[in-house]
Amino acid sequence: MKHFTVRPSLLFLWMLCFTSPLLQAQEEDAPFHGIRGIGLSPVSGFTESTGTSGTGANMDVLYHKIYWRINPDSTKYIKGSVQTNFKTIQNNVSTVSFDLRSGLIVDSVKFRGAVLPVINITHSSNIVTINLGAVLPLNFIDSLIIFYQGVPPAVSGAAQGYQKATNSTGGTYITTLSESYEDRDWWPCKADMQDKVDSMDMTVSVPWGQPTAADTFWVAANGKLTDSTIIGNNRYFTFKTRYPIATYLVAVSVARYNRYYRSVNAGGTEVQVAYNLFRGKTTTTYNSILTAMDLMNPLVVSYGNCFGVYPFKNEKHGYYDGLLGASGMEHQTFSGIASGGSLTSLRTLSHELVHQWFGDNVTFATWNDLWLAEGFARYGEALAGELNPATGLNPFSLRSGMKTSALGLSTASAWIPNGNAGTSNLIWSSNYGSTVYERGAMIVSMLRSICGDQKFYQALTDYQTSLAGKSATTDSLKNYFNKVLGRDITVFFNDYVGGSGPTTIPVGGVGNPINTVNWNSPSPNKLVVQMGGQTQTAGSNVTYFRGPVVLHVKGTLASQDTTITFFDWGSGNLSYAGKGLSIPVAGNRLSYYLSFTPTTVMYDDSARTLSTGSTVNIPGLDNYTWFGSTNTDWNGASNWSSAGVPPQGADITIATAGSNQPILPGSFAVGPLTILGSNTVIIGNNTLTLNNIVRGTGTLTGSPVSNLIVADSSGVITFNQSSASNRSLNSVTLNPGCSATIGAGLLEIFGPLNLPPRSRFNVNASNLIVH
């Protein structure tokens, strides 16, 4: 959803639809879930939960068949019936419950073809509890129909629901907005994002031909319009959706609409595009709206290339006019847009389109993780400018505005604690109603900065594909990024998001870091960076924010320009980032070899992170550099630059000034290892672990008792060819998913060559001998 910046024919159809036996209705009208009364095994690993109210704890909702009578020219009212097909997920089920506003009237409930006694129905505290008069075993499929009517409640703060309004050109209309808890305000449902309705059929009856057929109502709703039968003075619009849907995303709008149709090819499927716009606008206004909405159609494809094919391609995509309570709302397959400027707002239109993936296809499991929808949708506004420049949206300008807003919201996290997640007013009338957008968007931006585009979009596509039609928590998203990166970035999610799922106390997410980064160019084309320190904004609940640092590096010429990203783990551990995430490098130094000599380094001037900072040029700052000034002793401080003897896992350069080549003192791990000129590192009777790339023209000197572990992709490794012993190793081990390439010359391995799944050891036809 995108909030405003302030923030007698009726009876005939009823009988036609619902007087047939219940079992027949299941078999003929509902998608097949199994014949009633046959026990089914639960899907492996799948569990249902209840929403905030606790309804439906003993059932999995499979299908709804809904009938509504709506007449905007009358008083605000709704009358209808909701058939629910369900499967029991507990044993001995004798009662079921639904969310429904207490002010609405339950006329009757039909179960197994018979109307239940009134005494079997209790309706209080916005919950309908139904005694079935039968006991159902576990995994038993059955159904019932609730007949109800009444006047849905008025708007109350951020709680919108089902409302009647008048538009200056379109006349009177009825429209709905159920986010966050207002689905129960107008229809009986199990309001729980973790139990999506597998499929739905909705029939809406409206007046027709009053006063003329040209001036009567049309219906906007989820899914595909399959029928619009006219019977007398009524028209019956039937929509079918066969994609799982959360109840708060179910919507209906009845108005005097003009309809416009397009199509877009998504993954080889021609997807219907529909726009429902109020009648009576000027030609110029219609043209402006249609031009804006048509700019979204290429984004259906482009977003699909980023996140996976448009998730509702077999039904539709589109927008309808007249939303109340917000500028836009991502009703599944058909987003509602407020009349006026929102209809041409490319930010609003792109925002709601991204929601079809984030929020609709994969829905947050509870309102605590609302940022999983709003953060991605907000970021998608800037992404729209990248993917479709014809929109005229400026990605940097939009990101910069998001960052400024996010930094100003430093007293609340993107994740919502339980105390603020229980009602629409608690969510939308508090700072959390803004942090889910702005801080959420910057969290998405930081994930992209950490991963680089290839891994960022891979993680999101995996997330969307694997969880299609399901719900997720922050931890769910984190797990997909961990898998793609091959690193555990839980600390990032803790520090910047603040929580996952329903709980009371955040683990972080409040405040922002203020970083100082030291840098120097100790030799031409070389840049060394170091974390100089971090403070946090007042009121922060994080003692040290662990996450990405983005630097803009420039040389003397305008063409000498690049951006680098590293991940600060704290305690002097840094990782190269931006093209995946390296194993942490110890020693608080990272070196970069550029195509130019850096003269200026700026802190995140492209607005990609939720941090501020400064840079300081420190003359003499270098990575750990070996000169061998005294002897070959690795642990001799006089052999190293002013940085001193490197710790395990450090970024090391071998620049021997004379003949004293370094000998490892024991088994040792290095981060990036740069061996300049014809220098070498002597492994000896030890194990050398390469945590990062090997750079330079130098070599490694091995022996039949030396061991090599490639812990991350290391690039090209060349061995000293001065003797058979020097070009040999006892063993070589690659970690899963890692790669290494043997450079010029021969390598002989006298022990095991360990290549686990997804590892790759590249050799030429004649330069590897395994004894």
Side-chain angles (χ1 to χ4, degrees):
M1 180 162 63
K2 190 169 183 184
H3 276 277
F4 291 115
T5 47
V6 210
R7 278 241 29 179
S9 297
L10 173 60
L11 180 60
F12 170 79
L13 185 70
W14 195 317
M15 295 177 64
L16 180 67
C17 291
F18 300 115
T19 55
S20 50
L22 184 60
L23 182 57
Q24 181 181 8
Q26 286 185 324
E27 292 176 335
E28 293 185 356
D29 297 324
F32 185 71
H33 295 287
I35 298 174
R36 186 186 72 185
I38 297 178
L40 301 176
S41 298
V43 178
S44 176
F46 181 77
T47 58
E48 298 295 338
S49 81
T50 61
T52 303
S53 68
T55 61
N58 55 8
M59 65 177 179
D60 170 16
V61 175
L62 304 175
Y63 167 76
H64 284 310
K65 182 176 182 178
I66 297 175
Y67 169 75
W68 287 309
R69 170 64 177 184
I70 299 174
N71 181 2
D73 282 344
S74 181
T75 58
K76 185 179 79 170
Y77 204 79
I78 190 167
K79 186 173 186 178
S81 60
V82 176
Q83 173 179 317
T84 302
N85 292 25
F86 61 90
K87 182 179 72 173
T88 59
I89 54 174
Q90 295 177 10
N91 210 354
N92 299 322
V93 172
S94 59
T95 63
V96 293
S97 58
F98 297 86
D99 296 280
L100 183 66
R101 179 67 66 170
S102 294
L104 298 176
I105 301 167
V106 176
D107 294 317
S108 62
V109 175
K110 182 181 286 188
F111 178 62
R112 296 183 177 175
V115 175
L116 292 175
V118 174
I119 197 172
N120 286 33
I121 304 165
T122 303
H123 189 189
S124 64
S125 302
N126 303 320
I127 295 175
V128 177
T129 303
I130 301 166
N131 185 330
L132 299 173
V135 178
L136 310 182
L138 176 67
N139 296 326
F140 192 89
I141 292 177
D142 220 318
S143 66
L144 54 77
I145 306 171
I146 298 174
F147 298 86
Y148 76 107
Q149 61 182 301
V151 180
V155 175
S156 177
Q160 189 72 25
Y162 177 105
Q163 302 302 332
K164 177 182 175 181
T166 301
N167 177 265
S168 60
T169 64
T172 56
Y173 68 101
I174 294 286
T175 193
T176 64
L177 193 163
S178 296
E179 189 173 7
S180 296
Y181 290 93
E182 285 64 60
D183 37 13
R184 68 183 182 184
D185 281 5
W186 59 285
W187 69 287
C189 58
K190 177 183 175 181
D192 179 7
M193 286 82 74
Q194 296 172 67
D195 183 10
K196 290 187 175 184
V197 183
D198 294 356
S199 62
M200 297 180 66
D201 293 343
M202 295 178 284
T203 296
V204 183
S205 167
V206 302
W208 191 258
Q210 301 172 11
T212 68
D215 190 38
T216 45
F217 297 106
W218 200 268
V219 177
N222 314 93
K224 182 178 291 187
L225 177 63
T226 61
D227 193 14
S228 57
T229 300
I230 299 172
I231 304 176
N233 290 329
N234 298 286
R235 190 164 190 173
Y236 303 92
F237 293 86
T238 297
F239 296 84
K240 294 180 182 290
T241 181
R242 295 297 178 257
Y243 293 100
I245 184 170
T247 56
Y248 83 93
L249 295 171
V250 175
V252 63
S253 186
V254 179
R256 293 172 173 89
Y257 283 128
N258 287 342
R259 285 90 56 208
Y260 304 85
Y261 298 100
R262 311 306 195 231
S263 70
V264 61
N265 190 288
T269 299
E270 283 297 318
V271 182
Q272 182 194 68
V273 178
Y275 311 138
N276 283 19
L277 303 178
F278 285 150
R279 296 176 185 174
K281 303 179 192 293
T282 66
T283 299
T284 299
T285 300
Y286 281 126
N287 288 340
S288 296
I289 295 169
L290 296 174
T291 297
M293 290 182 175
D294 284 346
L295 284 170
M296 297 300 106
N297 294 335
L299 287 172
V300 172
V301 178
S302 298
Y303 285 145
N305 292 335
C306 296
F307 316 136
V309 175
Y310 179 68
F312 309 111
K313 64 180 184 178
N314 293 323
E315 294 184 356
K316 70 171 181 282
H317 151 67
Y319 304 98
Y320 67 89
D321 199 346
L323 184 74
L324 300 174
S327 57
M329 176 62 206
E330 61 278 11
H331 294 135
Q332 190 163 300
T333 72
F334 210 25
S335 295
I337 307 294
S339 297
S342 296
L343 292 168
T344 56
S345 168
L346 301 179
R347 291 188 63 179
T348 298
L349 297 175
S350 59
H351 182 105
E352 304 310 330
L353 177 54
V354 174
H355 267 313
Q356 298 300 316
W357 284 267
F358 297 93
D360 293 11
N361 184 45
V362 181
T363 307
F364 40 89
T366 63
W367 292 102
N368 308 82
D369 288 314
L370 175 58
W371 83 270
L372 290 173
E374 300 301 350
F376 278 97
R378 178 68 96 209
Y379 185 77
E381 300 169 27
L383 185 59
E386 290 184 45
L387 299 176
N388 185 6
T391 60
L393 295 171
N394 185 308
F396 167 70
S397 177
L398 294 180
R399 282 200 314 271
S400 183
M402 294 170 194
K403 177 169 182 173
T404 298
S405 297
L407 292 174
L409 293 163
S410 61
T411 60
S413 59
W415 170 85
I416 306 174
N418 287 352
N420 282 86
T423 70
S424 290
N425 283 326
L426 285 171
I427 296 171
W428 301 111
S429 299
S430 69
N431 278 341
Y432 293 104
S434 297
T435 59
V436 292
Y437 295 91
E438 313 303 343
R439 293 182 73 87
M442 294 313 299
I443 291 164
V444 176
S445 178
M446 288 190 286
L447 286 169
R448 186 178 180 186
S449 295
I450 293 167
C451 296
D453 283 2
Q454 190 274 328
K455 290 186 180 294
F456 176 69
Y457 292 129
Q458 179 186 340
L460 294 182
T461 299
D462 291 348
Y463 171 79
Q464 286 290 325
T465 302
S466 299
L467 298 180
K470 301 177 183 177
S471 58
T473 64
T474 294
D475 281 347
S476 306
L477 181 72
K478 176 192 70 178
N479 291 339
Y480 283 93
F481 277 97
N482 284 351
K483 182 178 179 180
V484 166
L485 289 170
R487 308 277 175 262
D488 186 350
I489 57 171
T490 295
V491 293
F492 166 78
F493 280 90
N494 287 347
D495 293 349
Y496 281 98
V497 179
S500 177
T503 189
T504 304
I505 302 173
V507 296
V510 176
N512 316 300
I514 306 166
N515 291 320
T516 300
V517 177
N518 300 331
W519 70 277
N520 188 40
S521 179
S523 59
N525 295 8
K526 183 178 181 180
L527 172 67
V528 176
V529 297
Q530 173 190 64
M531 283 302 297
Q534 182 188 102
T535 59
Q536 299 78 38
T537 54
S540 173
N541 62 355
V542 178
T543 56
Y544 194 96
F545 283 88
R546 293 156 292 185
V549 174
V550 176
L551 302 176
H552 183 191
V553 184
K554 302 177 72 173
T556 56
L557 303 178
S559 60
Q560 296 173 338
D561 188 298
T562 192
T563 297
I564 65 171
T565 304
F566 65 87
F567 192 101
D568 177 17
W569 298 91
S571 302
N573 295 306
L574 310 175
S575 285
Y576 293 91
K579 292 184 178 179
L581 192 63
S582 76
I583 292 173
V585 177
N588 196 22
R589 287 170 171 82
L590 293 179
S591 63
Y592 294 85
Y593 290 85
L594 310 175
S595 61
F596 60 90
T597 298
T599 57
T600 305
V601 177
M602 293 167 286
Y603 190 94
D604 192 26
D605 61 348
S606 56
R608 299 181 188 274
T609 69
L610 190 50
S611 65
T612 59
S614 58
T615 62
V616 180
N617 180 228
I618 305 292
L621 177 66
D622 201 351
N623 65 333
Y624 295 90
T625 303
W626 169 273
F627 294 120
S629 303
T630 304
N631 50 38
T632 62
D633 180 11
W634 183 276
N635 290 324
S638 60
N639 289 316
W640 294 92
S641 64
S642 58
V645 179
Q648 291 271 353
D651 181 344
I652 295 172
T653 296
I654 306 300
T656 308
S659 59
N660 293 325
Q661 303 294 351
I663 301 173
L664 293 185
S667 294
F668 203 86
V670 296
L673 175 60
T674 304
I675 309 175
L676 301 178
S678 59
N679 295 305
T680 192
V681 174
I682 302 169
I683 301 174
N685 187 18
N686 301 300
T687 297
L688 173 64
T689 299
L690 301 175
N691 285 345
N692 208 292
I693 195 168
V694 177
R695 301 181 289 212
T697 57
T699 63
L700 297 178
T701 297
S703 73
V705 293
S706 301
N707 301 293
L708 182 68
I709 296 175
V710 179
D712 203 351
S713 296
S714 63
V716 177
I717 307 171
T718 303
F719 286 85
N720 187 341
Q721 299 294 307
S722 62
S723 70
S725 177
N726 289 343
R727 66 178 186 237
S728 64
L729 292 170
N730 172 53
S731 69
V732 174
T733 300
L734 272 68
N735 280 359
C738 296
S739 65
T741 299
I742 301 303
L746 183 64
L747 172 63
E748 298 187 55
I749 301 175
F750 289 87
L753 172 60
N754 301 306
L755 301 176
R758 297 181 294 108
S759 63
R760 194 160 131 185
F761 197 47
N762 302 307
V763 297
N764 293 322
S766 59
N767 73 343
L768 176 65
I769 299 174
V770 179
H771 292 275

